[in-house]
Amino acid sequence: MAAYRLNLIQSLFSVLVFCKPALTLDFGQSYSAGNSDLLAPRLYTEHDLKSKGLSDHVSFHPEGASEGFYCHYPDLKSKEWEACNDGADSRWCWLRQLQAQEGESHPKGYTVTTNYDNYVPIGIQRHYHLDISKQTIAPDGTPREARLMNGTYPGATVEACWGDTVIVHVTNNLDDEGSVIHWHGLRQFYNNDQDGVALTQCPIARGSTWTYNFTMLQYGTTWYHSHYILQYADGVLGPIVVHGPASAPYDVSLPTPHFMSDWVYRKAEEEFDNEKDPVVRGSKADNILVNGIGRSKEAVAAYNGEDIQSLYPITEILPGQRVRMRLINGAAGTSFIFSVDGHSIEIIANDLVPVEPKIVDSLLVAIGQRYDIIIHGLDNPSPSGNYWIRTHPADGCNTFRNGLFNSTDSTNEDPLDPRTGILHYGHSSATYLSLPDSTANTITDFSCARISEQTSLRPVVPWSISTTPLNNLTLSTFYPSHQTENDEPYGNYTHWLLRLDPLVEKQGGVSFHNPLFANFSTPSLLDFTNIGQGANDNVIRLPYSSKPTDFIHMVIDGSLLPSTNQSDLDPDVIPLLAHPMHWHGSDVVLLAQSEQPFDPATSMDTWNYENPPRRDTIMAPAGGYVAVAFKPDNPGVWLVHCHIAWHASAGLALQMVIDDGQGMVQSMLAGERMERLGKGCEEWKADLGKVVDYQKEESGV
Ligand SMILES: [Cu+2]
């Protein structure tokens, strides 16, 4: 089987590469502390490969690849690149490298237990071309002009394998806007200038192509999206799939991720006017989409048994089969409870972190979060063989036009239908199916923090967190510059108190207190010496450290945000939102997540320091808090922000500057990398008069 695959892939892509015996047999890229090579761009050079006994990259452009998706890894014994696909019978893909490396100095090779913070296999280069353009689409029957990546919603999948270097050429074909593309959750280690936010580069000018270049240091499921104004809510987004080992066996891996989102009929920047409107008090969405498919009630009522795929995405399964599925929430304002009628779900990864397998009946997928799951096929499915897949908006974590979705509110005038997909037993090349008559699983918790679930997931590769954070420094260093002393309590951690602006509230409006404002034309990374001097720079400075025992602790405190404690607020008008907070540049661990207000005297006694849940997007409950820890080992300017698109644009964001205070960030980027950023800004500034100016009301992130 293996030989067959190798031959097949060789004939497809001409990837046969033969190599001389190696001088050193270490295929791993070690990123451990103190390695001065870290300052190099994350791209394997010819020299790197030769020193490992390999003569060349396998490099190809995936356009035109006929079928299947293959990873390519060097085999230590044969000195050949081998191809393998990510199926149940091809776990040898990573295992073979493990066997080859037994006895080598390298620890344990590459399995799900490999510490991917330090060791990454050598993969290949993959090139992608993504073009942003305007196009009118009607995912649920209502047409609107969207902005799309390669003409589809969601956009083209960027697919790679653990250790591959991905080179993405992004062309902005919009006639009136810039753009900038963020690779959500990718660690971008020593690669801050590839993060794709307005803090790290100028927007891509109209007609220009910007090339991103990064190595997949992690594996699993994620997505890319525009980080320019509210452009991702207009459609500029798509999945990222990184093949790698898994923490539980499965039989089939679905090629298409389950991409959940909401959809707004107006251009997002117009809808954003509602965010600060004292009457509407919040931007709203119009429908739910899965894989870009939505439907109106009329279309469902008129269904006559034909062309089912235009109404619902179909997921195929066979009796007893274990099907791996990738869940992504790419919504602007909706967190979802995902479930499949009559089926349990085995969680194997949260965000880009493999976890110990855990079986649930439903799970919360907050905005920006992802899960890799295995659906266990029934041995004896129902005669119709059809079951609903549900993406149920979480209570209090949605803002729909026709009333907030509420699992317990029977008077809700026009509830959206959470039945958004079909699990079908058998092969559905047929376009003709009856609609399922399955009943929903019993779900008792529709809340949007789902604390017991979110705090129960255990990473396969554990982190042990120091109870003494590195930020045991003066308050002036760690106090976010936009907060005042009145924002007590604070202490030996970075304390970010979220709140609405009382002055704006008095005038009947809604706005976050001291929002971030990033100027598109002066990104922080290019203006490093001046960063933090502006009133709305919202900078916290963190000391760089590569010591694996050094952590920053941070509390995100939602105790002053609207919550059930405030009786003067109408929950039908202002939802009691939890905020999905997303980190750029590193994963964070969840030391605590609570619906009780943070108490600096007692809360820390309850924190979990031993292998806490770890991911890049965590929920800060309204009225409560989250405490997180992360390693300040990745120099640069990194964004932390709420992933509700409307809130990010309203400035609910911080920039973290991680630096050694001796020019580390600047020397990392000195030369070509900085010149390139400067050139991009020149192009952008020349284009400024021709793009729509969104900078008056927008945070810039
Ligand atoms: Cu928010």
Side-chain angles (χ1 to χ4, degrees):
M1 181 61 107
Y4 166 74
R5 282 213 179 93
L6 185 57
N7 291 338
L8 175 69
I9 202 71
Q10 282 165 356
S11 62
L12 279 174
F13 302 117
S14 306
V15 295
L16 177 61
V17 179
F18 191 77
C19 311
K20 284 179 262 180
L23 295 173
T24 71
L25 301 179
D26 180 4
F27 282 112
Q29 282 296 98
S30 169
Y31 295 114
S32 56
N35 184 347
S36 61
D37 290 346
L38 291 178
L39 296 181
R42 303 256 60 80
L43 174 68
Y44 302 111
T45 64
E46 196 93 346
H47 173 78
D48 289 335
L49 294 168
K50 277 188 180 147
S51 75
K52 295 172 198 314
L54 296 160
S55 68
D56 201 358
H57 283 291
V58 180
S59 177
F60 69 92
H61 294 243
E63 290 90 341
S66 54
E67 59 180 49
F69 188 89
Y70 291 85
C71 296
H72 305 260
Y73 290 113
D75 180 84
L76 194 73
K77 285 176 183 157
S78 65
K79 304 289 174 284
E80 284 181 26
W81 291 88
E82 293 212 327
C84 56
N85 70 2
D86 188 16
D89 59 346
S90 56
R91 308 253 55 88
W92 62 270
C93 195
W94 292 276
L95 190 63
R96 174 163 290 205
Q97 291 200 46
L98 169 68
Q99 291 164 337
Q101 291 187 31
E102 288 292 348
E104 300 297 330
S105 59
H106 217 291
K108 293 298 171 198
Y110 306 100
T111 71
V112 74
T113 62
T114 299
N115 185 346
Y116 50 87
D117 272 2
N118 297 331
Y119 298 102
V120 178
I122 284 188
I124 62 172
Q125 284 180 18
R126 296 179 192 270
H127 294 255
Y128 282 89
H129 296 267
L130 299 176
D131 296 343
I132 310 165
S133 65
K134 282 185 188 170
Q135 202 169 312
T136 297
I137 55 170
D140 63 356
T142 301
R144 69 153 284 193
E145 185 182 68
R147 281 136 189 84
L148 303 177
M149 205 58 115
N150 290 5
T152 63
Y153 184 97
T157 300
V158 169
E159 195 168 5
C161 300
W162 187 22
D164 285 351
T165 292
V166 174
I167 297 160
V168 193
H169 312 279
V170 176
T171 302
N172 176 12
N173 283 322
L174 299 173
D175 58 358
D176 56 357
E177 291 176 8
S179 193
V180 60
I181 303 300
H182 171 62
W183 316 95
H184 184 105
L186 298 186
R187 194 171 159 220
Q188 303 291 13
F189 195 54
Y190 277 74
N191 212 21
N192 188 213
D193 51 329
Q194 305 298 317
D195 197 38
V197 289
L199 307 177
T200 57
Q201 68 173 97
C202 281
I204 307 168
R206 299 167 316 135
S208 288
T209 297
W210 188 262
T211 300
Y212 293 93
N213 184 329
F214 43 85
T215 297
M216 298 299 193
L217 305 178
Q218 306 132 287
Y219 55 88
T221 303
T222 190
W223 58 307
Y224 62 82
H225 60 82
S226 171
H227 230 297
Y228 175 87
I229 58 165
L230 285 153
Q231 210 168 54
Y232 97 69
D234 288 327
V236 184
L237 45 71
I240 299 177
V241 171
V242 188
H243 297 273
S247 64
Y250 50 86
D251 302 308
V252 175
S253 181
L254 294 180
T256 307
H258 203 74
F259 197 102
M260 301 172 256
S261 59
D262 49 20
W263 189 241
V264 186
Y265 290 157
R266 299 203 290 168
K267 176 160 171 57
E269 282 296 331
E270 292 168 24
E271 182 60 31
F272 187 52
D273 291 343
N274 284 334
E275 195 62 28
K276 289 168 185 172
D277 185 300
V279 179
V280 185
R281 295 177 77 96
S283 304
K284 306 203 185 298
D286 295 284
N287 211 339
I288 303 170
L289 304 183
V290 172
N291 292 353
I293 300 173
R295 72 232 104 240
S296 64
K297 289 184 185 308
E298 295 73 31
V300 174
Y303 177 64
N304 64 3
E306 285 173 13
D307 196 18
I308 187 75
Q309 279 97 341
S310 69
L311 282 183
Y312 300 98
I314 311 291
T315 300
E316 293 175 358
I317 195 169
L318 295 172
Q321 200 178 44
R322 297 164 300 183
V323 174
R324 179 191 182 142
M325 198 171 184
R326 298 168 184 271
L327 308 180
I328 302 168
N329 185 341
T334 311
S335 289
F336 293 104
I337 308 280
F338 174 92
S339 66
V340 184
D341 290 1
H343 291 71
S344 59
I345 295 161
E346 185 175 22
I347 301 171
I348 58 170
N350 65 188
D351 298 348
L352 289 172
V353 178
V355 298
E356 291 168 10
K358 181 181 169 71
I359 292 180
V360 296
D361 288 333
S362 66
L363 79 164
L364 169 74
V365 191
I367 302 169
Q369 290 186 330
R370 293 87 61 211
Y371 283 96
D372 284 55
I373 61 169
I374 297 168
I375 296 178
H376 291 252
L378 306 175
D379 290 331
N380 297 298
S382 66
S384 81
N386 286 342
Y387 295 84
W388 288 117
I389 295 176
R390 295 173 195 255
T391 52
H392 197 303
D395 284 348
C397 272
N398 66 86
T399 53
F400 284 101
R401 185 96 44 214
N402 295 328
L404 308 183
F405 200 98
N406 189 329
S407 63
T408 57
D409 184 359
S410 58
T411 64
N412 196 327
E413 287 170 13
D414 187 15
L416 292 159
D417 195 333
R419 296 172 295 183
T420 54
I422 297 172
L423 181 74
H424 175 66
Y425 280 82
H427 295 293
S428 69
S429 53
T431 57
Y432 184 97
L433 280 184
S434 58
L435 297 183
D437 56 1
S438 58
T439 49
N441 298 347
T442 305
I443 299 174
T444 51
D445 185 359
F446 279 101
S447 74
C448 67
R450 271 211 168 189
I451 290 174
S452 60
E453 177 179 288
Q454 299 253 318
T455 55
S456 70
L457 298 164
R458 293 285 162 261
V460 172
V461 178
W463 281 12
S464 185
I465 312 301
S466 166
T467 54
T468 312
L470 188 64
N471 42 329
N472 183 11
L473 297 172
T474 63
L475 289 173
S476 59
T477 306
F478 284 99
Y479 212 51
S481 56
H482 65 296
Q483 291 189 0
T484 71
E485 303 245 340
N486 297 329
D487 288 346
E488 288 186 272
Y490 50 84
N492 184 19
Y493 39 79
T494 299
H495 178 237
W496 184 8
L497 189 65
L498 309 179
R499 65 180 194 185
L500 298 177
D501 194 317
L503 291 177
V504 182
E505 279 281 293
K506 249 182 225 163
Q507 295 155 13
V510 186
S511 168
F512 291 108
H513 182 54
N514 277 319
L516 173 75
F517 180 88
N519 189 326
F520 286 145
S521 302
T522 53
S524 300
L525 205 51
L526 279 89
D527 191 33
F528 199 75
T529 47
N530 290 318
I531 186 174
Q533 292 178 17
N536 292 88
D537 283 359
N538 288 14
V539 167
I540 52 172
R541 290 183 180 278
L542 304 175
Y544 166 82
S545 172
S546 62
K547 264 195 227 156
T549 50
D550 280 346
F551 286 90
I552 298 291
H553 291 190
M554 188 167 177
V555 170
I556 297 185
D557 189 339
S559 59
L560 294 187
L561 285 171
S563 75
T564 44
N565 305 326
Q566 287 168 270
S567 55
D568 56 326
L569 292 173
D570 179 351
D572 286 335
V573 180
I574 295 189
L576 310 174
L577 286 172
H579 296 264
M581 305 302 292
H582 172 59
W583 265 256
H584 291 216
S586 74
D587 284 340
V588 296
V589 300
L590 195 51
L591 298 173
Q593 184 184 32
S594 172
E595 275 163 331
Q596 300 305 312
F598 175 65
D599 179 348
T602 59
S603 291
M604 278 130 115
D605 297 340
T606 65
W607 291 4
N608 173 24
Y609 298 95
E610 274 315 309
N611 196 20
R614 184 169 82 240
R615 59 195 313 168
D616 55 60
T617 308
I618 48 97
M619 274 292 206
Y625 77 96
V626 283
V628 301
F630 55 94
K631 298 177 184 176
D633 63 353
N634 194 3
V637 180
W638 303 104
L639 191 62
V640 183
H641 66 100
C642 178
H643 220 294
I644 295 173
W646 321 110
H647 292 184
S649 277
L652 195 57
L654 286 181
Q655 31 184 341
M656 301 188 301
V657 174
I658 298 177
D659 186 46
D660 66 354
Q662 296 172 40
M664 182 182 205
V665 171
Q666 286 149 302
S667 64
M668 177 176 82
L669 299 172
E672 253 176 57
R673 291 167 80 179
M674 195 52 96
E675 276 164 30
R676 189 167 161 271
L677 293 176
K679 202 168 153 247
C681 282
E682 278 167 32
E683 279 185 31
W684 165 251
K685 285 176 191 165
D687 213 25
L688 259 183
K690 294 155 198 149
V691 295
V692 182
D693 181 11
Y694 293 110
Q695 277 278 268
K696 287 170 213 134
E697 302 268 323
E698 263 276 348
S699 70
V701 298

